[in-house]
Amino acid sequence: MAAKVDAISNVEMQVGEESYLTAKKGLKSWLFTLDHKRIGIMYLGSVMFAFLLGGLMALLVRLELLTPGKTIVGPKTYNQLFTLHGAIMVFLFIIPSIPASLGNFVLPLLLGAKDVAFPRLNLASYYIYVFGAIFCVYSIIAGAVDTGWTFYTPYSSTTDTSVISMTLGVFILGFSSIFTGLNFIATIHKLRAPGMTWSKMPLFCWGIYATSVIQVMATPVLGITLLLLVMERALGVGIFDPQLGGDPVLFQHFFWFYSHPAVYIMILPGMAIISEIIPVFSRKTIFGYRAIALSSVAIAIIGFLVWGHHMFTSGQSELATMIFSMLTFLVAIPSGIKVFNWVATMYKGRIVLRAPMLYALSFLFLFTIGGLTGIFLGAIAVDIHLHDTYFVVAHFHYVMMGGTAMAFFGGLHYWWPKMTGKMYSEKLAKIAWAITFIGFNMTFLTQFALGSQGMPRRYYNYLDQFQPLHAFSSVGSWFLGLGFLLMVLYLLASLRSGEKAQANPWGGATFEWTISSPPPEHNFHHQPVAKRGPYEYSVEVGR
Amino acid sequence: MGIFAPFLPIQGSEHAERVDVLYDFIFYLDIFFFVLIVGGLIYIVLKYRDRGEEREVPQFSHHFALEVTWSVVPLILVIVIFFWGFNSYITSRVAPNDSMEVRVTAKKWQWEFEYPDGTRTLNELHVPIGRPVKLIMASVDVIHSFYLPTMREKMDVLPNRYTALTFTPKVEGEHQIYCTEYCGDGHSEMLAKLYVESEAAYKKWLETGGFDEKTPLNQIGAELYKKRACVTCHSIDGSRIQGPSFKGLYGKTEQIVGLGPVQVDDNYLRESIVNPNAKVVEGYPSGLMPTYKGLLKDREIDALIEYIKTLK
């Protein structure tokens, strides 16, 4: 499995040299580290914790929906559970998941850099994340929010739950996101290895670049909006609440002006990972490099202009509805192009079905369903029927969880040997993947049918006619939970008893595979030079 | 209608039929692309899976004509879908001139309807078949959304302006109405029924309110308990929802905020229905229950009191 590499002396650690994990010891060496790899690992631990917390709430929500009426909790608790599930998953898990954890770790390695452009800013972004997360957790204890993760006014300005601490938490998290984005933009511009032109850059970096631009440009709008909401609640300034002379629909415009681009903050990094995994495990150069790279940029730009498609029934004008519908269809095209390119990359390749590739395949399967069902929602007349029903819930779970989360776990399995220096059990990984895949489809495919029948979302209670499908979906969620639990267990077990990972276990051609696993503290002994493209596999590679 | 028909509610109007044709078109188009992409994917994985043999992997990086094709063909298809969806939407947004106008007021967590002749009802909307209906809607508290799946119609109901929704029913019978904008604890109980009736039945209903003279009061009360949304906040099994349970309520002595103990009798119940915040039981929120003044006829209030009396 040895790879042909350019800089021979980069592969092995020099005598007596320690990896980044052991080079410095003690808790302080972690808490004050400026090493992008360690910050990435700390982010990884944090987002995984958030994922488990949000996942637990999802399981409780599904358990409550097993039967109509009360199953385990009352309506208020149920409303708090689905709100926290959404808020935690969006703000504490998905948005930071790929960029801040895996991105932090591998972006400088992929570029052939020693670190990100601003290591201190990087550490600051982590602490701001933790600080924001503390506000969110505090809000759970102090009367958990029950507004839905969208915080729609005037409900959010009148409910008696702790909206202020939750929105402040999200406001603070926004800065963490902006810092990471800013850092990555500078890193990609300034720290690429000699010879790495924009068109020789690994596609992961293109995806992260597009993401970062949205993070920097859109997040301030959310910050200001939430701050206005806090001012309204705390000081009684009328902005959104009609009782005070405000306009509630204005809040929706502001909120979605961020939160729709945020959907691309979530999915673009997922696509970025898929663009790395598929060529490596097909032993074949990526098909349509330019199209994939530029479609990320296209998505980032058009993504700013489609927020009104969340508001077809909000009372916005018919003209606005028409324009937003048209732009929504346009943004579908670049995503479609990517899918076709990935499939074409695999054509006539030599496909190795290891765990990362399996996750990439499930991404393709699930994201295709997520994307195709989006066409129903873009068509105005059909959306009017499906809006705010389980159809929408199913659609965005296929994109966000079937897309981003699957890509994240694919990336985690792909770079795990590099990050930890250990191999996980391939057999358990395949079993967990299969359970997750089946559980996911059981849980969410059902919900397309529920939504088409007219089952509204965010319902504590429901009509008896919906029970069989709801119950089926709930049972699916148990498989999903089981699959993820198993994954966490074998990944943790690999740290203790996993086989030692080689420098290049998958036969990748990007820079991170030219150094030892885990990497030394300063990444590269010699400045690597990009003499060939990131997906040029020579015959010797990877067997 | 295609094989997907069981997943959609019945078609209550011509607009619903139009929407479903588009729904089916997208559905089959999606199936086509799903088979193309995922089928292709599975074929490729099976055919080109690494079996350990030595095989030269052909490296090709792009194909201009192919890439243009798979960009332009989907683009044309979505443009068609866009115009189709917009066209049938805009048709449904225009109310015919002879529409019957009904005012809708949404509040946590009930729907109030006011007819042209001044009749007001709660959680039940009666309309004659074949006549276009225009609902003019507003909310008194937070945002709600009026959803009528059988008509494929939905519109948010806002606290600071009017929104409208139009439909022309063509199927007699009961149709479900939901609230689809999250509005708090009672959101999933904020249901109503649309009754599409013949012109004659509709006229009769306007006159009698739907109850004939011979039905015993407590039976009418039992029905009103469900139809007029008492059930959302008051249980009949002793459990607490938002307000006090009706079980064993009549004759009980309650602690009233600012007044002390008060015995629940006919007059207390009547006052609590018409002016709910006059005497609030200690431990329950004030200002939550909206007044039923004008929404219930005297006979209907009597019926509810008689019904509560039976819940021992």
Side-chain angles (χ1 to χ4, degrees):
Chain A
M1 284 241 184
K4 182 185 163 192
V5 288
D6 302 307
I8 298 111
S9 57
N10 265 337
V11 178
E12 289 310 320
M13 286 201 230
Q14 284 161 0
V15 182
E17 195 191 15
E18 301 260 17
S19 79
Y20 80 100
L21 288 169
T22 49
K24 295 199 178 86
K25 291 192 172 57
L27 186 64
K28 261 173 111 177
S29 77
W30 279 89
L31 293 180
F32 297 107
T33 182
L34 298 179
D35 183 353
H36 69 98
K37 299 185 287 305
R38 287 192 164 198
I39 294 170
I41 295 286
M42 294 199 291
Y43 257 120
L44 181 64
S46 310
V47 298
M48 283 303 283
F49 179 74
F51 179 71
L52 292 180
L53 196 65
L56 191 67
M57 285 171 180
L59 288 175
L60 290 173
V61 164
R62 278 309 330 161
L63 186 59
E64 172 53 44
L65 292 171
L66 190 61
T67 61
K70 182 174 172 171
T71 311
I72 46 165
V73 293
K76 179 110 182 169
T77 314
Y78 171 81
N79 294 340
Q80 291 169 324
L81 280 172
F82 78 66
T83 301
L84 292 170
H85 163 68
I88 289 175
M89 283 301 195
V90 169
F91 296 113
L92 290 174
F93 172 65
I94 309 185
I95 288 181
S97 66
I98 296 174
S101 67
L102 298 178
N104 237 324
F105 195 100
V106 300
L107 183 76
L109 297 180
L110 283 169
L111 294 172
K114 274 189 165 182
D115 207 316
V116 290
F118 308 113
R120 284 187 178 77
L121 191 67
N122 201 15
L123 184 65
S125 99
Y126 178 70
Y127 280 108
I128 291 170
Y129 171 84
V130 172
F131 190 56
I134 288 170
F135 268 84
C136 297
V137 172
Y138 169 77
S139 84
I140 299 177
I141 302 159
V145 231
D146 69 337
T147 59
W149 78 277
T150 46
F151 308 115
Y152 270 22
T153 53
Y155 187 81
S156 59
S157 37
T158 50
T159 173
D160 57 0
T161 53
S162 58
V163 175
I164 292 186
S165 60
M166 182 52 115
T167 46
L168 273 180
V170 173
F171 174 73
I172 295 165
L173 288 170
F175 281 95
S176 156
S177 182
I178 294 171
F179 284 7
T180 305
L182 211 58
N183 215 339
F184 286 175
I185 291 175
T187 308
I188 292 170
H189 271 280
K190 303 306 288 182
L191 298 183
R192 278 172 287 134
M196 187 183 281
T197 57
W198 284 84
S199 58
K200 273 190 179 172
M201 197 164 71
L203 285 164
F204 182 81
C205 308
W206 272 102
I208 291 290
Y209 185 76
T211 309
S212 300
V213 170
I214 312 177
Q215 281 179 308
V216 171
M217 286 173 67
T219 316
V221 179
L222 177 75
I224 292 162
T225 309
L226 295 179
L227 213 55
L228 289 174
L229 182 59
V230 170
M231 279 170 66
E232 180 165 277
R233 271 188 75 101
L235 308 173
V237 183
I239 298 155
F240 307 123
D241 186 352
Q243 296 281 330
L244 303 167
D247 182 357
V249 180
L250 181 67
F251 177 85
Q252 297 178 26
H253 280 291
F254 282 177
F255 182 83
W256 290 114
F257 186 84
Y258 163 76
S259 293
H260 195 80
V263 170
Y264 300 110
I265 294 180
M266 302 180 218
I267 192 67
L268 281 171
M271 294 168 158
I273 288 181
I274 299 305
S275 305
E276 292 303 313
I277 294 178
I278 286 183
V280 171
F281 290 88
S282 304
R283 326 282 346 128
K284 201 163 147 275
T285 192
I286 192 89
F287 185 88
Y289 175 95
R290 196 169 290 260
I292 294 181
L294 294 180
S295 62
S296 291
V297 179
I299 288 173
I301 295 167
I302 310 174
F304 271 99
L305 306 172
V306 301
W307 79 89
H309 72 211
H310 297 269
M311 299 169 59
F312 286 169
T313 69
S314 71
Q316 77 182 0
S317 74
E318 280 86 3
L319 178 68
T321 296
M322 179 190 88
I323 293 168
F324 282 122
S325 167
M326 193 164 65
L327 291 166
T328 300
F329 281 120
L330 287 186
V331 85
I333 300 301
S335 301
I337 291 174
K338 280 181 196 274
V339 170
F340 289 127
N341 277 306
W342 290 321
V343 177
T345 301
M346 291 165 59
Y347 179 65
K348 289 196 170 172
R350 202 163 64 208
I351 295 159
V352 186
L353 291 178
R354 303 293 293 269
M357 187 60 170
L358 289 177
Y359 277 100
L361 291 177
S362 64
F363 171 98
L364 284 177
F365 183 96
L366 302 172
F367 181 75
T368 299
I369 296 180
L372 289 173
T373 51
I375 300 175
F376 287 94
L377 300 172
I380 313 173
V382 181
D383 178 75
I384 298 292
H385 175 57
L386 297 173
H387 179 74
D388 267 335
T389 68
Y390 265 79
F391 193 95
V392 176
V393 177
H395 162 71
F396 71 70
H397 277 91
Y398 265 87
V399 178
M400 296 287 91
M401 189 171 182
T404 308
M406 289 299 163
F408 172 67
F409 292 120
L412 190 63
H413 285 79
Y414 179 55
W415 284 303
W416 185 262
K418 184 56 59 188
M419 298 169 92
T420 64
K422 296 291 172 80
M423 300 300 288
Y424 46 81
S425 157
E426 184 72 22
K427 197 173 147 199
L428 286 176
K430 281 179 177 157
I431 294 170
W433 169 82
I435 297 173
T436 310
F437 183 74
I438 293 166
F440 180 89
N441 285 299
M442 281 177 73
T443 310
F444 294 108
L445 205 56
T446 338
Q447 296 182 4
F448 286 119
L450 273 174
S452 298
Q453 287 173 359
M455 170 73 213
R457 67 190 283 206
R458 294 176 172 173
Y459 260 33
Y460 166 70
N461 193 3
Y462 52 82
L463 303 180
D464 291 340
Q465 69 189 80
F466 297 122
Q467 214 232 332
L469 287 173
H470 264 305
F472 189 81
S473 175
S474 294
V475 172
S477 74
W478 302 338
F479 283 94
L480 203 47
L482 183 72
F484 284 130
L485 184 69
L486 185 59
M487 183 182 79
V488 170
L489 291 180
Y490 71 72
L491 284 179
L492 289 178
S494 78
L495 293 180
R496 182 180 283 266
S497 55
E499 206 180 304
K500 192 178 166 358
Q502 291 170 325
N504 191 0
W506 318 120
T510 37
F511 284 145
E512 80 273 34
W513 306 112
T514 64
I515 54 175
S516 55
S517 305
E521 201 180 2
H522 295 294
N523 298 352
F524 302 97
H525 299 308
H526 303 282
Q527 173 63 58
V529 178
K531 289 182 186 150
R532 56 175 186 185
Y535 308 108
E536 287 173 25
Y537 307 102
S538 49
V539 193
E540 294 94 320
V541 166
R543 289 285 310 158
Chain B
M1 288 293 289
I3 54 155
F4 215 45
F7 289 148
L8 289 165
I10 62 153
Q11 298 166 328
S13 63
E14 275 170 27
H15 174 66
E17 288 165 11
R18 277 197 300 271
V19 171
D20 289 0
V21 177
L22 178 55
Y23 182 103
D24 284 350
F25 175 75
I26 300 174
F27 183 76
Y28 289 113
L29 192 72
D30 274 7
I31 294 278
F32 171 77
F33 276 101
F34 181 76
V35 170
L36 185 77
I37 295 168
V38 175
L41 193 66
I42 292 170
Y43 169 79
I44 288 169
V45 168
L46 292 178
K47 177 144 194 221
Y48 299 108
R49 197 155 61 88
D50 180 36
R51 293 185 175 81
E53 83 283 13
E54 286 300 324
R55 171 160 57 84
E56 191 70 28
V57 175
Q59 303 289 337
F60 43 88
S61 65
H62 59 278
H63 188 291
F64 186 73
L66 188 62
E67 292 183 69
V68 168
T69 309
W70 70 40
S71 308
V72 171
V73 172
L75 185 64
I76 293 169
L77 286 169
V78 295
I79 288 173
V80 169
I81 293 171
F82 159 72
F83 277 106
W84 193 341
F86 171 69
N87 193 35
S88 83
Y89 162 75
I90 208 70
T91 317
S92 76
R93 294 293 299 155
V94 181
N97 285 332
D98 58 340
S99 299
M100 167 175 129
E101 287 191 359
V102 178
R103 289 206 169 262
V104 181
T105 306
K107 55 180 83 164
K108 287 180 185 172
W109 291 283
Q110 48 181 246
W111 298 99
E112 206 179 294
F113 301 98
E114 187 171 349
Y115 292 77
D117 74 343
T119 302
R120 290 164 73 192
T121 63
L122 203 62
N123 291 350
E124 57 180 295
L125 172 60
H126 290 255
V127 296
I129 190 164
R131 182 124 60 102
V133 181
K134 181 180 182 187
L135 304 178
I136 300 164
M137 310 188 288
S139 163
V140 298
D141 39 50
V142 299
I143 301 177
H144 301 277
S145 189
F146 188 91
Y147 179 31
L148 199 44
T150 52
M151 309 293 166
R152 311 289 186 269
E153 282 291 1
K154 183 182 289 125
M155 193 62 187
D156 286 7
V157 184
L158 303 169
N160 61 333
R161 68 170 95 142
Y162 300 109
T163 52
L165 184 152
T166 304
F167 62 95
T168 310
K170 57 169 258 184
V171 177
E172 265 187 55
E174 277 185 36
H175 301 253
Q176 186 65 46
I177 296 166
Y178 300 94
C179 174
T180 44
E181 186 60 70
Y182 172 70
C183 57
D185 295 356
H187 175 49
S188 63
E189 310 299 327
M190 194 165 159
L191 307 174
K193 280 269 166 67
L194 165 73
Y195 298 91
V196 179
E197 298 162 330
S198 67
E199 197 75 38
Y202 171 69
K203 287 235 166 67
K204 181 156 183 275
W205 171 83
L206 269 186
E207 280 158 24
T208 63
F211 295 107
D212 71 50
E213 298 294 320
K214 290 193 189 99
T215 318
L217 278 179
N218 62 2
Q219 261 180 42
I220 298 180
E223 211 164 307
L224 289 170
Y225 167 74
K226 286 188 213 123
K227 281 188 171 172
R228 297 292 190 263
C230 313
V231 60
T232 308
C233 299
H234 302 276
S235 77
I236 51 170
D237 60 1
S239 65
R240 177 180 173 151
I241 313 176
Q242 304 295 331
S245 175
F246 284 167
K247 188 181 178 175
L249 180 62
Y250 191 81
K252 192 174 160 188
T253 304
E254 293 273 36
Q255 289 295 323
I256 302 300
V257 178
L259 280 179
V262 166
Q263 200 186 14
V264 176
D265 58 11
D266 291 53
N267 275 321
Y268 173 82
L269 288 176
R270 186 185 170 84
E271 186 183 33
S272 294
I273 292 170
V274 178
N275 187 7
N277 295 310
K279 295 195 179 88
V280 178
V281 178
E282 240 166 53
Y284 289 89
S286 172
L288 191 64
M289 176 168 161
T291 174
Y292 277 70
K293 198 173 182 174
L295 285 171
L296 293 170
K297 300 187 171 77
D298 280 347
R299 185 157 175 264
E300 292 175 328
I301 294 177
D302 296 346
L304 271 171
I305 294 173
E306 289 307 315
Y307 172 62
I308 292 170
K309 282 182 190 173
T310 64
L311 300 167
K312 300 220 166 68

